[in-house]
Amino acid sequence: MFIVVKQQGKAIEIFFCQDRSRFSQGITGFIYRSDGKDISNQQIRKLKKNWFWQK
């Protein structure tokens, strides 16, 4: 498990990695975004206010 913190303009994004599989493309985990802006796309799904899931 690892954590990545990024500054996105005035917001802070924190990614909490849950799985880094050798067989899949990419990593999965939770994202917290301080401003609550929706960052949903094909890879990222909104769970609750400020929280997202990346698959």
Side-chain angles (χ1 to χ4, degrees):
M1 180 180 196
F2 63 89
I3 298 171
V4 177
V5 179
K6 288 193 237 177
Q7 185 78 35
Q8 300 286 19
K10 293 184 179 182
I12 294 174
E13 281 185 10
I14 305 171
F15 178 71
F16 302 88
C17 177
Q18 295 296 308
D19 182 34
R20 190 174 185 177
S21 176
R22 291 181 280 168
F23 304 108
S24 67
Q25 300 290 339
I27 53 178
T28 60
F30 293 97
I31 300 170
Y32 172 82
R33 184 169 170 106
S34 64
D35 67 356
K37 180 182 175 187
D38 190 359
I39 56 173
S40 300
N41 61 38
Q42 290 181 350
Q43 298 282 326
I44 300 172
R45 178 172 54 101
K46 187 164 189 165
L47 299 173
K48 290 188 175 195
K49 183 181 178 184
N50 298 55
W51 287 97
F52 301 84
W53 174 254
Q54 178 176 319
K55 58 178 175 173

